[in-house]
Amino acid sequence: MRIRPRRLRRTAAIRAMVRETRLSPSMLVYPIFVREGRGIVEDIAAMPGQKRYSPDTLSRVLEDAANAGVSNVLLFGLPEKKDERGSGAYAEDGVVQQALREGKKNFPQMLFISDVCMCEYTSHGHCGVLKGTGSAVDNDPTIELLARTAVSHARAGADIVAPSDMMDGRVGAIRTALDAAGLEDTAILSYAVKYASAFYGPFREAAGSAPAFGDRRGYQMDPNNAREALRELALDLEEGADMVMVKPGLPYLDVLKAVKEKSPVPVGSYCVSGEYSMIKAAAANGWLDEKRAVCEAAVCLVRAGADILITYHALELAGWIRDGKL
Ligand code: PBG
């Protein structure tokens, strides 16, 4: 008798039958940048293929997403004006609020997730209000503003709010505020485990959200820590998170797996801007095959535990999944 694992790798049909990890377009979330203005569709230099849209042109990309079979989108906003307290984040006519109203009206069947954070809206670029002259973010005043932001997004049509600020207690504050506003059906997808990562570089160009001074290490997690992720998970669950996410994606597969093992709620993985741009840059140089690299990365994230995959490659991936390659 010879044990031969290769028997199950012999043909495409056998490989497809015994595949352990399978992807579906319904697990994909496509992030979209919305900026204030009218008639705008502009390229994002650091993220080839991705664009910024004004609320009135948003329907074009929502149409593309729907045609690709992607029905979940995550909105980020770029306001016209920034200030110390990030007031554009919770303004009733803020850019994300406008986009949500527009999107919900034209694409009622689509699931709208809104990123809840202050960094795109503050003049200093930090994810909350500052304590003094340094880059320390004042936790409790910030979570009040985040809760206000979440309520205004939900009122404008967000089905799910996704806080990405990493302040302590924000999930609880947001849940309390949503419930008090009669928005019990709005779900919270918490960026429960978010690291202070260099891989957010291209996003900060896309969203104009780089900190003017200092860095985010006083609130985002230290990449050297994995067990701390379970502490963040436990806290967010206790505070009422309906779903959690680990971010970034590929460098944190161990963390994703550990979170998946302990999480009773769905777990997302955010394959971030730097991961996208690295593949784009290498592919543009002919150094790797974009389609194969993107598919492999997606499969690995799902194999490690992602129930939900947030990726700038969502539209192409949906097609590749349907072609039966994943
Ligand atoms: C806002 C936010 C960031 C990302 C998602 N929400 C940037 C940051 O924390 O600096 C990064 C997403 C990406 O890189 O694709 N706080």
Side-chain angles (χ1 to χ4, degrees), residues 268-307:
S269 166
Y270 196 145
C271 194
V272 302
S273 58
E275 300 177 67
Y276 173 85
S277 299
M278 281 195 300
I279 291 182
K280 279 284 179 190
N285 277 294
W287 295 336
L288 52 71
D289 179 327
E290 179 171 358
K291 177 175 170 179
R292 288 192 56 203
V294 169
C295 291
E296 185 175 331
V299 165
C300 293
L301 289 163
V302 174
R303 193 195 61 224
D307 303 302

Tab-separated table of all heavy atoms in Angstrom, residues 268-307:
chain	number	residue	atom	x	y	z
A	268	GLY	N	-14.336	39.543	10.989
A	268	GLY	CA	-13.911	40.102	9.706
A	268	GLY	C	-12.404	40.270	9.664
A	268	GLY	O	-11.733	40.336	10.699
A	269	SER	N	-11.879	40.323	8.449
A	269	SER	CA	-10.474	40.641	8.265
A	269	SER	C	-10.410	41.794	7.272
A	269	SER	O	-11.078	41.759	6.239
A	269	SER	CB	-9.735	39.420	7.707
A	269	SER	OG	-8.464	39.814	7.222
A	270	TYR	N	-9.628	42.802	7.598
A	270	TYR	CA	-9.482	43.958	6.710
A	270	TYR	C	-8.122	43.882	6.032
A	270	TYR	O	-7.096	44.062	6.665
A	270	TYR	CB	-9.617	45.256	7.521
A	270	TYR	CG	-9.864	46.511	6.698
A	270	TYR	CD1	-10.684	47.519	7.195
A	270	TYR	CD2	-9.288	46.715	5.449
A	270	TYR	CE1	-10.943	48.690	6.469
A	270	TYR	CE2	-9.528	47.869	4.713
A	270	TYR	CZ	-10.347	48.852	5.233
A	270	TYR	OH	-10.565	49.996	4.509
A	271	CYS	N	-8.167	43.573	4.742
A	271	CYS	CA	-6.962	43.524	3.919
A	271	CYS	C	-6.722	44.986	3.499
A	271	CYS	O	-7.413	45.508	2.625
A	271	CYS	CB	-7.280	42.620	2.734
A	271	CYS	SG	-5.867	42.097	1.823
A	272	VAL	N	-5.776	45.655	4.130
A	272	VAL	CA	-5.727	47.121	4.103
A	272	VAL	C	-5.029	47.699	2.869
A	272	VAL	O	-4.483	46.975	2.034
A	272	VAL	CB	-5.087	47.692	5.399
A	272	VAL	CG1	-5.882	47.230	6.632
A	272	VAL	CG2	-3.617	47.306	5.509
A	273	SER	N	-5.036	49.025	2.832
A	273	SER	CA	-4.532	49.755	1.663
A	273	SER	C	-3.113	49.352	1.272
A	273	SER	O	-2.816	49.179	0.092
A	273	SER	CB	-4.598	51.259	1.936
A	273	SER	OG	-3.844	51.594	3.090
A	274	GLY	N	-2.221	49.188	2.251
A	274	GLY	CA	-0.833	48.844	1.939
A	274	GLY	C	-0.730	47.473	1.295
A	274	GLY	O	0.103	47.247	0.408
A	275	GLU	N	-1.582	46.559	1.733
A	275	GLU	CA	-1.587	45.215	1.152
A	275	GLU	C	-2.043	45.292	-0.301
A	275	GLU	O	-1.507	44.608	-1.180
A	275	GLU	CB	-2.504	44.297	1.968
A	275	GLU	CG	-2.066	44.177	3.422
A	275	GLU	CD	-3.028	43.320	4.244
A	275	GLU	OE1	-3.114	42.116	3.991
A	275	GLU	OE2	-3.713	43.869	5.135
A	276	TYR	N	-3.035	46.133	-0.547
A	276	TYR	CA	-3.543	46.348	-1.906
A	276	TYR	C	-2.460	46.959	-2.790
A	276	TYR	O	-2.158	46.461	-3.877
A	276	TYR	CB	-4.761	47.272	-1.830
A	276	TYR	CG	-5.304	47.734	-3.173
A	276	TYR	CD1	-6.206	46.936	-3.880
A	276	TYR	CD2	-4.930	48.957	-3.722
A	276	TYR	CE1	-6.708	47.356	-5.103
A	276	TYR	CE2	-5.439	49.385	-4.941
A	276	TYR	CZ	-6.330	48.580	-5.627
A	276	TYR	OH	-6.825	48.992	-6.838
A	277	SER	N	-1.866	48.042	-2.300
A	277	SER	CA	-0.907	48.783	-3.132
A	277	SER	C	0.378	48.000	-3.387
A	277	SER	O	0.988	48.147	-4.445
A	277	SER	CB	-0.595	50.142	-2.491
A	277	SER	OG	-1.790	50.895	-2.411
A	278	MET	N	0.777	47.162	-2.441
A	278	MET	CA	1.976	46.331	-2.661
A	278	MET	C	1.754	45.397	-3.842
A	278	MET	O	2.627	45.246	-4.698
A	278	MET	CB	2.277	45.468	-1.424
A	278	MET	CG	2.952	46.215	-0.308
A	278	MET	SD	3.671	45.089	0.919
A	278	MET	CE	2.261	44.191	1.493
A	279	ILE	N	0.592	44.765	-3.867
A	279	ILE	CA	0.304	43.838	-4.974
A	279	ILE	C	0.202	44.610	-6.281
A	279	ILE	O	0.753	44.202	-7.309
A	279	ILE	CB	-0.989	43.037	-4.698
A	279	ILE	CG1	-0.743	42.057	-3.547
A	279	ILE	CG2	-1.456	42.306	-5.961
A	279	ILE	CD1	-1.924	41.169	-3.196
A	280	LYS	N	-0.469	45.773	-6.243
A	280	LYS	CA	-0.616	46.587	-7.457
A	280	LYS	C	0.753	46.999	-8.011
A	280	LYS	O	0.993	46.932	-9.213
A	280	LYS	CB	-1.420	47.855	-7.136
A	280	LYS	CG	-2.903	47.623	-7.100
A	280	LYS	CD	-3.437	47.508	-8.517
A	280	LYS	CE	-4.922	47.238	-8.512
A	280	LYS	NZ	-5.413	46.892	-9.863
A	281	ALA	N	1.630	47.443	-7.115
A	281	ALA	CA	2.943	47.927	-7.552
A	281	ALA	C	3.772	46.783	-8.130
A	281	ALA	O	4.405	46.930	-9.184
A	281	ALA	CB	3.677	48.569	-6.379
A	282	ALA	N	3.744	45.637	-7.459
A	282	ALA	CA	4.527	44.501	-7.949
A	282	ALA	C	3.974	44.020	-9.293
A	282	ALA	O	4.731	43.705	-10.208
A	282	ALA	CB	4.522	43.374	-6.922
A	283	ALA	N	2.644	43.993	-9.404
A	283	ALA	CA	2.022	43.535	-10.651
A	283	ALA	C	2.348	44.496	-11.794
A	283	ALA	O	2.626	44.065	-12.916
A	283	ALA	CB	0.516	43.394	-10.474
A	284	ALA	N	2.348	45.801	-11.497
A	284	ALA	CA	2.628	46.799	-12.535
A	284	ALA	C	4.051	46.630	-13.070
A	284	ALA	O	4.345	46.944	-14.214
A	284	ALA	CB	2.435	48.209	-11.969
A	285	ASN	N	4.941	46.105	-12.222
A	285	ASN	CA	6.315	45.862	-12.641
A	285	ASN	C	6.505	44.488	-13.274
A	285	ASN	O	7.623	44.125	-13.624
A	285	ASN	CB	7.253	45.983	-11.428
A	285	ASN	CG	7.614	47.430	-11.144
A	285	ASN	OD1	8.294	48.061	-11.945
A	285	ASN	ND2	7.151	47.958	-10.031
A	286	GLY	N	5.433	43.730	-13.317
A	286	GLY	CA	5.530	42.377	-13.870
A	286	GLY	C	6.194	41.400	-12.920
A	286	GLY	O	6.651	40.336	-13.331
A	287	TRP	N	6.236	41.735	-11.635
A	287	TRP	CA	6.927	40.871	-10.668
A	287	TRP	C	6.035	39.785	-10.101
A	287	TRP	O	6.506	38.823	-9.539
A	287	TRP	CB	7.518	41.724	-9.524
A	287	TRP	CG	8.591	42.652	-9.991
A	287	TRP	CD1	9.369	42.509	-11.108
A	287	TRP	CD2	9.002	43.866	-9.364
A	287	TRP	NE1	10.238	43.555	-11.214
A	287	TRP	CE2	10.041	44.410	-10.149
A	287	TRP	CE3	8.603	44.546	-8.214
A	287	TRP	CZ2	10.674	45.611	-9.824
A	287	TRP	CZ3	9.235	45.731	-7.876
A	287	TRP	CH2	10.260	46.258	-8.687
A	288	LEU	N	4.734	40.002	-10.126
A	288	LEU	CA	3.861	38.881	-9.763
A	288	LEU	C	2.544	38.993	-10.513
A	288	LEU	O	2.217	40.030	-11.076
A	288	LEU	CB	3.678	38.744	-8.247
A	288	LEU	CG	3.257	39.914	-7.373
A	288	LEU	CD1	1.824	40.278	-7.603
A	288	LEU	CD2	3.436	39.536	-5.915
A	289	ASP	N	1.809	37.902	-10.504
A	289	ASP	CA	0.535	37.808	-11.203
A	289	ASP	C	-0.552	38.318	-10.257
A	289	ASP	O	-0.823	37.691	-9.230
A	289	ASP	CB	0.333	36.328	-11.572
A	289	ASP	CG	-0.983	36.070	-12.286
A	289	ASP	OD1	-1.984	36.761	-11.995
A	289	ASP	OD2	-0.999	35.157	-13.129
A	290	GLU	N	-1.142	39.462	-10.599
A	290	GLU	CA	-2.081	40.116	-9.685
A	290	GLU	C	-3.243	39.204	-9.291
A	290	GLU	O	-3.550	39.051	-8.108
A	290	GLU	CB	-2.631	41.405	-10.305
A	290	GLU	CG	-3.636	42.099	-9.394
A	290	GLU	CD	-4.037	43.490	-9.863
A	290	GLU	OE1	-3.520	43.959	-10.890
A	290	GLU	OE2	-4.886	44.093	-9.180
A	291	LYS	N	-3.854	38.597	-10.282
A	291	LYS	CA	-5.031	37.768	-9.996
A	291	LYS	C	-4.686	36.625	-9.041
A	291	LYS	O	-5.368	36.405	-8.045
A	291	LYS	CB	-5.584	37.220	-11.305
A	291	LYS	CG	-6.755	36.298	-11.134
A	291	LYS	CD	-7.325	35.905	-12.479
A	291	LYS	CE	-8.341	34.801	-12.306
A	291	LYS	NZ	-8.926	34.404	-13.584
A	292	ARG	N	-3.588	35.925	-9.330
A	292	ARG	CA	-3.230	34.796	-8.468
A	292	ARG	C	-2.854	35.256	-7.067
A	292	ARG	O	-3.208	34.623	-6.064
A	292	ARG	CB	-2.065	34.003	-9.091
A	292	ARG	CG	-2.507	33.198	-10.308
A	292	ARG	CD	-1.445	32.223	-10.730
A	292	ARG	NE	-1.058	31.328	-9.638
A	292	ARG	CZ	0.108	30.691	-9.567
A	292	ARG	NH1	1.009	30.855	-10.521
A	292	ARG	NH2	0.371	29.909	-8.559
A	293	ALA	N	-2.157	36.395	-6.980
A	293	ALA	CA	-1.747	36.896	-5.651
A	293	ALA	C	-2.968	37.321	-4.829
A	293	ALA	O	-3.065	37.020	-3.636
A	293	ALA	CB	-0.782	38.071	-5.826
A	294	VAL	N	-3.904	38.001	-5.486
A	294	VAL	CA	-5.104	38.463	-4.773
A	294	VAL	C	-5.943	37.280	-4.314
A	294	VAL	O	-6.419	37.237	-3.171
A	294	VAL	CB	-5.934	39.407	-5.686
A	294	VAL	CG1	-7.300	39.687	-5.084
A	294	VAL	CG2	-5.170	40.702	-5.934
A	295	CYS	N	-6.096	36.295	-5.190
A	295	CYS	CA	-6.900	35.123	-4.828
A	295	CYS	C	-6.250	34.343	-3.681
A	295	CYS	O	-6.921	33.919	-2.740
A	295	CYS	CB	-7.102	34.209	-6.037
A	295	CYS	SG	-8.171	34.944	-7.292
A	296	GLU	N	-4.951	34.193	-3.756
A	296	GLU	CA	-4.248	33.452	-2.700
A	296	GLU	C	-4.378	34.172	-1.357
A	296	GLU	O	-4.653	33.550	-0.327
A	296	GLU	CB	-2.769	33.294	-3.092
A	296	GLU	CG	-1.977	32.430	-2.130
A	296	GLU	CD	-0.542	32.199	-2.629
A	296	GLU	OE1	-0.324	32.200	-3.860
A	296	GLU	OE2	0.345	32.039	-1.777
A	297	ALA	N	-4.188	35.492	-1.382
A	297	ALA	CA	-4.304	36.261	-0.133
A	297	ALA	C	-5.702	36.101	0.454
A	297	ALA	O	-5.864	35.873	1.663
A	297	ALA	CB	-3.988	37.736	-0.397
A	298	ALA	N	-6.717	36.190	-0.406
A	298	ALA	CA	-8.103	36.089	0.080
A	298	ALA	C	-8.358	34.702	0.680
A	298	ALA	O	-8.932	34.582	1.764
A	298	ALA	CB	-9.076	36.374	-1.069
A	299	VAL	N	-7.924	33.667	-0.016
A	299	VAL	CA	-8.122	32.301	0.492
A	299	VAL	C	-7.427	32.128	1.838
A	299	VAL	O	-7.991	31.553	2.776
A	299	VAL	CB	-7.591	31.259	-0.528
A	299	VAL	CG1	-7.441	29.890	0.118
A	299	VAL	CG2	-8.520	31.179	-1.725
A	300	CYS	N	-6.214	32.658	1.960
A	300	CYS	CA	-5.465	32.484	3.213
A	300	CYS	C	-6.162	33.182	4.379
A	300	CYS	O	-6.197	32.662	5.493
A	300	CYS	CB	-4.039	32.998	3.057
A	300	CYS	SG	-3.080	31.984	1.910
A	301	LEU	N	-6.744	34.352	4.108
A	301	LEU	CA	-7.447	35.074	5.175
A	301	LEU	C	-8.690	34.308	5.612
A	301	LEU	O	-8.992	34.214	6.807
A	301	LEU	CB	-7.805	36.490	4.702
A	301	LEU	CG	-6.587	37.415	4.559
A	301	LEU	CD1	-6.918	38.643	3.721
A	301	LEU	CD2	-6.057	37.816	5.934
A	302	VAL	N	-9.388	33.727	4.656
A	302	VAL	CA	-10.591	32.958	5.004
A	302	VAL	C	-10.190	31.652	5.707
A	302	VAL	O	-10.798	31.250	6.703
A	302	VAL	CB	-11.448	32.696	3.742
A	302	VAL	CG1	-12.624	31.775	4.056
A	302	VAL	CG2	-11.948	34.031	3.180
A	303	ARG	N	-9.137	31.016	5.220
A	303	ARG	CA	-8.645	29.781	5.855
A	303	ARG	C	-8.264	30.044	7.314
A	303	ARG	O	-8.534	29.239	8.206
A	303	ARG	CB	-7.420	29.271	5.078
A	303	ARG	CG	-6.981	27.851	5.420
A	303	ARG	CD	-5.585	27.593	4.877
A	303	ARG	NE	-4.642	28.510	5.461
A	303	ARG	CZ	-3.684	29.176	4.809
A	303	ARG	NH1	-3.517	28.998	3.520
A	303	ARG	NH2	-2.889	30.009	5.441
A	304	ALA	N	-7.688	31.226	7.579
A	304	ALA	CA	-7.268	31.552	8.945
A	304	ALA	C	-8.453	31.930	9.835
A	304	ALA	O	-8.310	31.987	11.055
A	304	ALA	CB	-6.262	32.693	8.913
A	305	GLY	N	-9.614	32.202	9.226
A	305	GLY	CA	-10.785	32.447	10.077
A	305	GLY	C	-11.721	33.567	9.683
A	305	GLY	O	-12.723	33.788	10.357
A	306	ALA	N	-11.430	34.296	8.610
A	306	ALA	CA	-12.310	35.423	8.266
A	306	ALA	C	-13.669	34.943	7.753
A	306	ALA	O	-13.737	34.149	6.818
A	306	ALA	CB	-11.647	36.302	7.208
A	307	ASP	N	-14.733	35.420	8.394
A	307	ASP	CA	-16.090	35.177	7.896
A	307	ASP	C	-16.470	36.276	6.913
A	307	ASP	O	-17.316	36.093	6.046
A	307	ASP	CB	-17.101	35.219	9.050
A	307	ASP	CG	-16.771	34.225	10.143
A	307	ASP	OD1	-16.688	33.023	9.822
A	307	ASP	OD2	-16.583	34.636	11.307
